[in-house]
Amino acid sequence: MTRGEHGISREDISPNALKVMYRLNGAGFEAYLVGGCVRDILMGHEPKDFDVATNATPEQIKGLFRNCRLIGRRFRLAHIVFGREVIEVATLRGHHSEEAEDETTPKAKATGKRDAHGQLVRDNVFGSIEEDAERRDFTFNAMYYSVADFTVKDFANGLEAIEKREVKLIGDPEVRYREDPVRMLRAVRFAVKLSMSLHPQTAAPIKPLANLLTNIPPARLFEETLKLFLSGKGEKTFMMLREYGLIAPLFPQIQPFLADDSCREMQFILKVLRNTDERINNAQRVTPAFLYAALLWYPLEERCQILQAESGLNAHDAFNIASGEVIGQQTKSIMIPKRFSTVMRDIWVLQQRLPKRFGRRAFQLLTHPKFRAAYDFLLVRGQIEGGELLELAQWWTHFQHAEGGKQKAMLNDLKRSEGSKGPRKRKRRPAKRAPDA
């Protein structure tokens, strides 16, 4: 497509991405803006980042840019750093060959390797722009913009997919999912993000192959779930993941709770996701810890009850053991960094402490660093479960915003209303007098 046909202007492109492409072109290499940024500009959206593809090898790229660092093992990438902005530059990929060849040109068929499931574990195979287009995942991501002649090369009818609003894989969907099972998650994410539907051939193999996600490193799936649920469309994304059987391999502990759309567990998760979407769309801060605490709350409650019934543990010990077990089990599927798992535990523990409001406890809880997160968590629980839980959440809503005198009055009213439920002070027994000599 010529400039008049696609309408992309250099004003739509990051100045740093333009600098990278101009320098690569000046050194005699091809350079193209590629992938989601081209798609987003054509759809009238503002790209989040800009990726460049070139026929220069990673080492050649590094030789041209002092602000370059090479990353990755599965496929070597160059990151060109401009302050907070990073332009990712990838060498054009080629098709795999059975035997690696010892060549240094971009055409080298080298270090491509698959595992027993057909998944690519090493992918440093360089090739031409045509081969690179065939290797890309979705049709609308195989469009290349050249700053040299201002054309867009559309190798897989990506513009047609945009017009039909369909997410369509390039090549045989089953083969492509086996190469990289994360493509199933990406298909769902793009469908929700771009308000598209999955092409029937793209959708058909997802349920049968969903279990392949268990072969993906947990650390990578953590990053992917952040993209899924912290995009501002987490609720719709969750429902689509569930529709295609992708919740079970990601969160095996919550799958048994999601049989019914109207059950409290499902409503709780959707409410938290809805609130998270609102915060993100209003440019408010969110933390993955809160989301993960919500997703795993009912498995935690169930495990705690089982430990108490089977082992005779008290509620406090059972809760602590269950917390560790639930987080430990989840990290087998999705790694949760300690900075988030620690906050999850704080939110959970405070659910046990928030009902205990007598004496100085209520004031001490207000000063806890994670009080606000725990209160928000309690509020959603109350809205879903109602009853005493909702009354407790409403009490904390009033208490935290009341003035000092009003807070003391609320505590006195609470003590009178609950009577014997409050903790009683033990009367000190009088000391025994020594017998008279």
Side-chain angles (χ1 to χ4, degrees), residues 1-3 5-6 8 25 30-35 38-39 42 53 92 128-134 136 138-159 170:
M1 291 183 285
T2 63
R3 177 159 46 180
E5 292 173 316
H6 59 68
I8 294 178
N25 287 159
E30 300 173 28
Y32 306 93
L33 206 62
V34 67
V38 179
R39 177 201 68 223
L42 289 172
L92 296 169
S128 66
I129 186 172
E130 291 81 9
E131 290 175 315
D132 188 82
E134 292 177 10
R136 293 195 171 266
F138 301 101
T139 57
F140 50 48
N141 285 343
M143 293 185 287
Y144 300 71
Y145 172 79
S146 170
V147 78
D149 58 12
F150 311 115
T151 60
V152 170
K153 301 181 188 297
D154 183 4
F155 291 99
N157 297 319
L159 193 59
I170 297 171

Side-chain angles (χ1 to χ4, degrees), residues 193-413:
K193 174 185 175 181
L194 303 173
S195 299
M196 293 181 170
S197 61
L198 296 183
H199 186 279
Q201 293 177 355
T202 298
I206 293 181
K207 276 189 178 180
L209 299 180
N211 198 51
L212 290 177
L213 285 168
T214 58
N215 300 326
I216 301 298
R220 185 182 177 201
L221 285 183
F222 175 75
E223 297 299 328
E224 291 297 329
T225 52
L226 293 188
K227 296 175 187 177
L228 290 167
F229 297 128
L230 301 184
S231 63
K233 294 187 177 181
E235 182 184 5
K236 289 183 179 178
T237 300
F238 185 88
M239 293 302 292
M240 196 167 187
L241 289 170
R242 180 168 172 262
E243 177 186 353
Y244 286 101
L246 294 170
I247 293 296
L250 296 176
F251 302 97
Q253 295 176 98
I254 72 172
Q255 178 63 27
F257 294 92
L258 306 181
D260 181 4
D261 285 358
S262 62
C263 68
R264 64 170 189 171
E265 294 86 356
M266 188 71 170
Q267 291 303 309
F268 178 67
I269 290 173
L270 294 181
K271 176 69 173 173
V272 168
L273 287 167
R274 198 175 306 130
N275 292 351
T276 301
D277 290 344
E278 289 176 4
R279 291 184 64 86
I280 291 171
N281 294 325
N282 291 324
Q284 294 176 286
R285 292 181 60 186
V286 297
T287 172
F290 190 93
L291 179 59
Y292 274 87
L295 288 168
L296 298 173
W297 171 249
Y298 287 109
L300 168 64
E301 270 199 338
E302 182 182 74
R303 184 60 187 151
C304 184
Q305 293 167 4
I306 291 173
L307 285 172
Q308 285 184 269
E310 293 181 352
S311 305
L313 294 169
N314 61 51
H316 179 267
D317 290 343
F319 192 84
N320 286 336
I321 293 172
S323 297
E325 289 184 358
V326 167
I327 291 176
Q329 186 65 28
Q330 181 59 52
T331 55
K332 294 178 181 178
S333 304
I334 300 175
M335 185 273 291
I336 304 175
K338 190 173 183 180
R339 66 183 184 277
F340 296 130
S341 63
T342 300
V343 177
M344 290 169 59
R345 286 176 179 268
D346 286 341
I347 292 171
W348 287 342
V349 168
L350 285 171
Q351 302 309 297
Q352 310 300 303
R353 293 179 59 189
L354 286 170
K356 302 171 183 177
R357 298 160 282 174
F358 295 98
R360 300 296 303 170
R361 289 178 178 175
F363 296 105
Q364 291 169 351
L365 286 170
L366 280 179
T367 64
H368 194 287
K370 296 298 178 286
F371 167 79
R372 182 68 199 190
Y375 159 74
D376 289 342
F377 197 91
L378 174 68
L379 188 59
V380 179
R381 290 177 60 212
Q383 290 168 345
I384 298 301
E385 297 188 30
E388 292 183 359
L389 204 58
L390 180 58
E391 292 177 7
L392 175 64
Q394 292 172 338
W395 188 92
W396 276 109
T397 300
H398 297 309
F399 184 78
Q400 64 182 301
H401 296 115
E403 296 179 355
K406 178 63 174 175
Q407 287 178 330
K408 291 181 180 178
M410 289 179 68
L411 288 171
N412 289 332
D413 290 344

Side-chain angles (χ1 to χ4, degrees), residues 61-182:
I61 298 167
K62 187 171 178 61
L64 289 173
F65 298 91
R66 289 190 300 175
N67 54 332
C68 172
R69 62 171 183 256
L70 300 183
I71 66 165
R73 291 183 57 192
R74 180 172 171 265
F75 187 75
R76 297 282 280 170
L77 297 169
H79 279 182
I80 316 297
V81 182
F82 297 90
R84 292 186 176 182
E85 184 178 20
V86 177
I87 305 299
E88 186 172 279
V89 184
T91 304
L92 296 169
R93 292 178 294 176
H95 296 305
H96 301 281
S97 61
E98 296 299 324
E99 297 181 3
E101 300 173 15
D102 185 15
E103 299 181 23
T104 57
T105 65
K107 295 282 185 178
K109 305 292 188 286
T111 60
K113 187 178 180 182
R114 301 172 188 259
D115 66 11
H117 302 282
Q119 182 180 336
L120 290 171
V121 293
R122 195 171 300 140
D123 197 15
N124 290 319
V125 183
F126 305 140
S128 66
I129 186 172
E130 291 81 9
E131 290 175 315
D132 188 82
E134 292 177 10
R135 294 288 318 283
R136 293 195 171 266
D137 48 11
F138 301 101
T139 57
F140 50 48
N141 285 343
M143 293 185 287
Y144 300 71
Y145 172 79
S146 170
V147 78
D149 58 12
F150 311 115
T151 60
V152 170
K153 301 181 188 297
D154 183 4
F155 291 99
N157 297 319
L159 193 59
E160 180 184 345
I162 290 174
E163 292 171 350
K164 290 184 175 180
R165 308 203 71 77
E166 284 186 334
V167 178
K168 185 178 181 182
L169 272 169
I170 297 171
D172 184 324
E174 181 170 345
V175 173
R176 303 313 302 278
Y177 289 144
R178 287 188 181 278
E179 286 178 348
D180 186 359
V182 170

